[in-house]
């Protein structure tokens, strides 16, 4: 069928044509927003899950909900590299100054807003952000010590009166949160902790890999109670079928029942795979009916595309030693691997594999589901690794 009408959206963070299976999370965030409007605090939300399940899409959805409620919004993305980490702080300071325009644009300047802006200004000077466009002097002795933990909390504290005056909140939306540098992470967690105690309208809304909850707990033990953690996973069969069938139907095309079943089964309910196969099915179908034959061909083409893009994005970043480790993991057919067992497969001591394991974790290719275990962050990565070894 015509490529230009192809409704599917395989890609990182691309809003799907039909967002399904996440209503509970969307409702939970709506409730948080509504409670905040009534002056009540809620636990902030952290999404965690494997690659390609739709965490970024959902985080963006939350962000839109917050935007409609006229929150101050800053988006950040954790960066594993050192230069990236500095850029994140700069971005925080700069974006906050821009977001803060919402406090006075069209609403006039109040004393509380002025106070908030001058603290934002001094925070901006400390962390290298741009200055505010309005003629506001930096607050002396507020958020200007150069120590992020102290300064960030003062910043939030000085924002609160203005936010409350507007029935608003400050939402910090952080994707790939597991990669946030430890110092900034700690600062954010302690500010969130204080916000809960004092009823400040400040919320860190995070998304990241399955190891994110344990990363947060390691940074601050109270992080466990700070957030409502939500695991984002594969879609159930009904939702997965809707995600596939509804976008086509809107363009006047139908899947045969067995065709849809085949694709949903092959995708394992993983959104990224559904979008990839759906896109291929649309391209391959000769008319507005997508048959089982089309579906079979679409899965094959989709897998070829995944083998060229989604999987190699991780594989190509692994060193030869790391690839051997991944190959040993692939023997467990998608189940978590015991690190001790991997050592014996690779005929070495577990300790000597720690650097390899650590490096693969830092690259976001594997994670630790439980003590002594490792698993792929990408669903079906084991099959890809096995295919590489056959070639
Ligand atoms: N609820 C959903 N229904 C249908 N498709 C979805 C849904 N959520 C996400 N998708 C699609 O799945 C793909 C992956 O989404 P997204 O980039 O948000 O995943 P992610 O979990 O952030 O992955 P990563 O860990 O690699 O960043 C996109 O192509 C998106 O359009
Ligand atoms: Mg993402």
């Amino acid at each position: 069928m015509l490529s230009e009408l192809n409704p599917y959206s395989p890609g990182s963070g691309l809003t799907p044509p039909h967002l399904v299976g996440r209503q509970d999370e969307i409702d939970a965030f709506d409730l948080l927003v509504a409670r905040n409007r009534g002056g009540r605090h809620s636990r902030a939300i952290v999404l965690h899950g494997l690659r390609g399940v739709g965490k970024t899409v959902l985080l963006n959805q939350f962000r839109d909900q917050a935007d409609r409620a006229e929150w101050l919004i800053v988006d950040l993305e954790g960066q594993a590299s050192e230069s990236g980490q500095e850029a994140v702080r700069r971005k925080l300071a700069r974006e906050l100054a821009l977001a803060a325009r919402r406090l006075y644009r069209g609403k006039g300047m109040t004393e509380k807003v002025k106070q908030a802006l001058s603290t934002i200004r001094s925070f901006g000077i400390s962390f290298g952000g741009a200055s505010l466009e309005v003629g506001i002097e930096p607050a002396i002795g507020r958020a200007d010590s150069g120590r992020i933990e102290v300064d960030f909390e003062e910043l939030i504290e000085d924002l609160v009166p203005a936010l409350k005056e507007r029935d608003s909140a400050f939402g910090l939306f952080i994707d790939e949160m597991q990669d946030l540098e430890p110092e900034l992470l700690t600062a954010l967690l302690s500010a969130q902790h204080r916000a809960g105690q004092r009823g400040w309208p400040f919320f860190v809304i995070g998304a990241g890999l399955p190891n994110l909850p344990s990363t947060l707990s390691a940074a601050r033990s109270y992080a466990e109670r700070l957030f409502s953690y939500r695991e984002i996973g594969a879609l159930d069969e009904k939702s997965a079928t809707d995600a596939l069938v509804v976008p086509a139907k809107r363009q006047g095309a139908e899947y045969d029942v067995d065709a849809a079943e085949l694709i949903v089964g092959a995708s394992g309910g993983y959104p990224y795979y559904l979008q990839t196969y759906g896109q291929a099915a649309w391209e391959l179908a000769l008319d507005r009916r997508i048959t089982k034959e089309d579906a079979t061909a679409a899965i094959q083409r989709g897998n070829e595309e995944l083998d060229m893009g989604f999987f190699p994005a991780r594989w190509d970043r692994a060193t030869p030693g790391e690839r051997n480790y991944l190959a040993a993991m692939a023997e467990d057919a998608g189940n978590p691997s015991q690190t001790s067992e991997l050592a014996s497969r690779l005929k070495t001591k577990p300790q000597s594999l720690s650097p390899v394991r650590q490096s693969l974790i830092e690259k976001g290719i594997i994670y630790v589901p439980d003590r002594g275990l490792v698993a792929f962050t990408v669903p079906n990565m084991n099959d890809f690794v096995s295919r590489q070894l056959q070639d």
Side-chain angles (χ1 to χ4, degrees):
M1 282 181 279
L2 282 175
S3 300
E4 67 213 54
L5 296 181
N6 197 322
Y8 298 97
S9 63
S12 183
L14 292 183
T15 304
H18 186 51
L19 182 75
V20 293
R22 308 297 185 215
Q23 201 55 46
D24 284 355
E25 283 73 27
I26 293 170
D27 291 346
F29 193 75
D30 263 338
L31 183 63
L32 183 153
V33 170
R35 281 177 55 86
N36 180 71
R37 204 177 290 121
R40 280 182 285 274
H41 193 81
S42 309
R43 275 192 292 178
I45 297 178
V46 164
L47 309 172
H48 57 99
L50 299 177
R51 294 260 168 230
V53 290
K55 302 177 298 295
T56 301
V57 161
L58 193 52
L59 193 67
N60 290 339
Q61 164 73 31
F62 288 170
R63 187 196 178 286
D64 291 348
Q65 290 167 254
D67 196 38
R68 282 195 288 276
E70 306 223 359
W71 283 25
L72 259 59
I73 293 167
V74 171
D75 300 306
L76 294 180
E77 191 178 314
Q79 304 276 349
S81 72
E82 221 164 282
S83 58
Q85 295 181 346
E86 222 169 274
V88 171
R89 288 184 182 202
R90 270 203 309 277
K91 181 160 191 246
L92 169 59
R94 210 173 48 231
E95 294 288 315
L96 182 60
L98 292 172
R101 291 177 302 176
R102 194 160 230 172
L103 289 173
Y104 57 88
R105 281 275 172 90
K107 292 172 183 157
M109 192 67 84
T110 65
E111 276 312 306
K112 288 173 178 168
V113 171
K114 266 189 206 151
Q115 182 204 349
L117 295 177
S118 56
T119 304
I120 290 174
R121 181 85 203 272
S122 43
F123 186 80
I125 292 169
S126 298
F127 294 97
S131 57
L132 283 175
E133 51 185 289
V134 285
I136 294 279
E137 290 298 313
I140 308 294
R142 295 298 283 171
D144 61 0
S145 75
R147 286 167 51 217
I148 187 79
E149 184 161 355
V150 175
D151 290 352
F152 190 73
E153 193 170 314
E154 286 182 357
L155 170 78
I156 301 298
E157 189 171 17
D158 290 359
L159 269 174
V160 168
L163 291 169
K164 287 198 165 168
E165 194 174 56
R166 305 281 191 220
D167 281 335
S168 182
F170 174 30
L172 194 49
F173 293 80
I174 310 178
D175 205 358
E176 304 290 349
M177 193 173 174
Q178 74 283 342
D179 289 335
L180 216 56
E181 45 135 337
E183 221 188 322
L184 180 57
L185 181 63
T186 311
L188 300 184
L189 293 178
S190 57
Q192 184 67 83
H193 188 47
R194 190 54 58 87
Q197 289 168 338
R198 305 216 178 147
W200 291 346
F202 166 64
F203 302 94
V204 173
I205 309 294
L209 290 176
N211 66 340
L212 179 56
S214 59
T215 305
L216 299 184
S217 298
R220 277 286 179 265
S221 57
Y222 54 69
E224 232 166 276
R225 284 159 284 138
L226 219 46
F227 298 101
S228 160
Y229 289 96
R230 291 181 171 260
E231 184 180 352
I232 305 303
L235 299 169
D236 62 29
E237 206 179 321
K238 162 93 178 59
S239 301
T241 307
D242 284 349
L244 181 72
V245 169
V246 172
K249 197 173 272 169
R250 285 193 194 135
Q251 305 278 358
E254 288 280 348
Y255 281 83
D256 283 349
V257 172
D258 52 2
E261 274 172 9
L262 200 65
I263 291 185
V264 167
S267 75
Y270 286 104
Y272 195 95
Y273 302 154
L274 280 168
Q275 299 298 335
T276 304
Y277 297 147
Q279 186 178 55
W282 182 277
E283 297 294 325
L284 291 165
L286 296 173
D287 55 33
R288 295 189 171 267
R289 213 184 110 212
I290 300 164
T291 64
K292 193 173 177 188
E293 197 188 6
D294 298 327
T296 308
I299 292 165
Q300 199 179 4
R301 180 182 288 182
N303 284 338
E304 281 162 18
E305 269 159 29
L306 293 168
D307 277 5
M308 285 188 293
F310 191 61
F311 294 123
R314 278 87 203 177
W315 181 252
D316 291 352
R317 277 160 48 215
T319 63
E322 290 166 4
R323 288 182 185 184
N324 287 338
Y325 193 87
L326 297 176
M329 284 177 64
E331 288 183 35
D332 291 309
N335 298 309
S337 306
Q338 270 172 344
T339 49
S340 53
E341 174 63 26
L342 293 175
S344 68
R345 276 180 206 161
L346 294 165
K347 303 192 174 38
T348 179
K349 292 199 205 73
Q351 303 88 293
S352 63
L353 288 175
S354 307
V356 173
R357 190 190 51 189
Q358 195 51 37
S359 167
L360 285 167
I361 293 171
E362 277 162 21
K363 289 178 182 174
I365 301 172
I366 67 171
Y367 72 104
V368 178
D370 220 328
R371 252 184 106 87
L373 295 177
V374 285
F376 290 107
T377 58
V378 184
N380 304 349
M381 180 87 181
N382 56 303
D383 291 333
F384 170 78
V385 172
S386 306
R387 284 197 292 278
Q388 297 309 298
L389 300 173
Q390 284 158 15
D391 294 348

